[in-house]
């Protein structure tokens, strides 16, 4: 389980204290590693390769854990210590070395593989007057896709931040969960389409990576409605609201999350 920091308020006139808040802290990990080589040169090369791999200047390390018959879990870590080079009798020999590698995971949650939650596809509209068929009966197509209680699933142990992809043509959209929502409901330039046909708008709600850009790299953040809340999806089953006005062609909405787990 990740470490938890809990904060308390103390009153001078009351016994005990009151819980104010809690937060999950960075995770500290120690991995015992035993290196063995057929000769001195081999074990030295293994040590040099391991040192280069763990060097934080080369970026973070990914710790991958998988038990038999279970899906893999991933933890992003940075080297902290443990390979300073203890050559004591119990720690190293001519062809072997033993280390207790210490790692720090700033994000303390384990991640699974990309989990595709749901996709909605909206077909192109049909002309009201047809040259090949009779006028009656009239066929009308829905111009607005609106549902305030679409079921979705987050299989992780805690909340996850969705990555949305909206493929045009789309005239406007709004995505909500509880009292939080975000979207672009104003008319777009030119044809009035916020996401033109053939373009894809990607909305990344993850902390530290929040972006709203299309496949051409254009920034759509200023176009969002006022006070956008790029909400997270809670663990388990929940319901979200989707309001989307497609254009004259086929459009789609995709939500992808990376589930987060408290343990592997």
């Amino acid at each position: 389980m990740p470490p938890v920091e809990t904060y308390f308020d103390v009153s001078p006139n009351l016994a005990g204290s009151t819980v104010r808040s809690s937060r999950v802290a960075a995770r500290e990990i120690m991995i015992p590693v035993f290196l063995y080589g057929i000769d001195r040169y081999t074990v030295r090369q293994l040590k040099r390769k391991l040192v280069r791999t763990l060097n934080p200047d080369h970026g973070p390390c990914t710790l991958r854990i998988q038990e038999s018959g279970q899906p893999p879990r991933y933890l992003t870590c940075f080297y902290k210590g443990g390979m300073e080079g203890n050559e004591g009798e119990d720690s190293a020999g001519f062809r072997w070395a033993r280390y207790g590698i210490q790692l720090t995971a700033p994000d303390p949650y384990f991640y699974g593989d990309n989990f595709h939650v749901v996709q909605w596809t909206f077909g192109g509209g049909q002309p009201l007057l047809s040259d090949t068929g009779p006028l009656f009966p009239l066929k009308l197509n829905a111009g607005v896709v609106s549902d305030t209680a679409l079921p979705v699933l987050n299989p992780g142990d805690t909340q996850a931040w969705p990555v949305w992809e909206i493929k045009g043509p789309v005239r406007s959209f709004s995505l909500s969960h509880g009292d939080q929502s975000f979207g672009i409901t104003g008319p777009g330039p030119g044809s009035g389409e916020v996401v033109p046909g053939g373009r894809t708008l990607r909305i990344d709600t993850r902390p530290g990576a929040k972006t709203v850009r299309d496949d051409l790299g254009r920034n759509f953040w200023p176009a969002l409605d006022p006070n956008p809340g790029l909400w997270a999806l809670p663990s388990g089953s929940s319901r979200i609201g989707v309001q989307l006005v497609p254009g004259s062609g086929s459009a789609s909405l995709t939500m992808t999350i990376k589930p987060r787990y408290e343990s592997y």
Side-chain angles (χ1 to χ4, degrees):
M1 184 173 179
V4 178
E5 296 176 350
T6 305
Y7 303 95
F8 302 89
D9 290 329
V10 179
S11 174
N13 298 321
L14 298 175
S17 56
T18 302
V19 176
R20 176 159 46 94
S21 64
S22 64
R23 61 179 294 271
V24 178
R27 188 191 294 261
E28 302 290 337
I29 298 174
M30 196 282 288
I31 301 179
V33 175
F34 183 85
L35 299 182
Y36 176 79
I38 59 175
D39 52 27
R40 182 65 177 173
Y41 174 80
T42 304
V43 73
R44 288 188 60 190
Q45 290 299 107
L46 288 174
K47 287 194 293 185
R48 289 170 58 88
K49 183 177 181 180
L50 185 58
V51 168
R52 286 195 302 266
T53 302
L54 294 175
N55 189 343
D57 289 340
H58 299 159
C61 303
T62 300
L63 180 63
R64 183 178 187 268
I65 301 177
Q66 184 173 16
E67 294 191 3
S68 177
Q70 300 297 319
R73 298 285 184 259
Y74 306 93
L75 193 67
T76 301
C77 308
F78 288 86
Y79 171 75
K80 181 179 180 180
M83 289 197 67
E84 288 77 9
N86 185 358
E87 296 291 338
E89 183 178 348
D90 296 332
S91 300
F94 187 74
R95 295 186 300 174
W96 63 274
R98 180 186 291 118
Y99 301 104
I101 298 177
Q102 303 169 36
L103 303 172
T104 299
D107 185 345
Y109 291 106
F110 288 90
Y111 283 80
D113 294 318
N114 279 344
F115 188 85
H116 180 88
V117 178
V118 67
Q119 181 181 47
W120 296 271
T121 302
F122 316 106
Q126 299 290 334
L128 178 62
L129 301 178
S130 174
D131 296 333
T132 59
L135 176 62
F136 296 99
L138 294 176
K139 297 181 180 179
L140 302 180
N141 292 288
V144 178
V145 178
S146 179
D147 197 326
T148 59
L150 289 173
V152 292
L153 173 67
N154 173 9
D157 298 328
T158 185
Q159 63 183 8
W161 301 86
V163 176
W164 300 89
E165 287 190 352
I166 303 175
K167 294 184 179 181
V170 171
R171 293 181 177 272
S172 66
F173 68 91
S174 178
L175 308 173
S176 62
H177 181 272
D179 57 355
Q180 291 187 306
S181 66
F182 65 91
I184 303 177
T185 56
S191 63
E193 294 173 345
V194 171
V195 185
R199 300 270 69 87
T200 300
L201 180 64
R202 189 173 189 269
I203 305 171
D204 192 339
T205 67
R206 295 174 297 174
K210 294 185 186 293
T211 55
V212 184
R213 296 183 180 275
D214 66 1
D215 51 348
L216 298 179
R218 291 181 296 183
N219 182 18
F220 277 68
W221 190 278
L224 289 175
D225 294 338
N227 302 318
L230 274 63
W231 42 268
L233 190 66
S235 175
S237 300
S238 59
R239 295 183 179 272
I240 64 173
V242 174
Q243 185 172 13
L244 187 143
V245 181
S248 58
S250 298
S252 66
L253 172 65
T254 304
M255 182 179 71
T256 303
I257 64 170
K258 270 193 171 182
R260 304 194 299 172
Y261 302 91
E262 294 175 336
S263 179
Y264 59 87

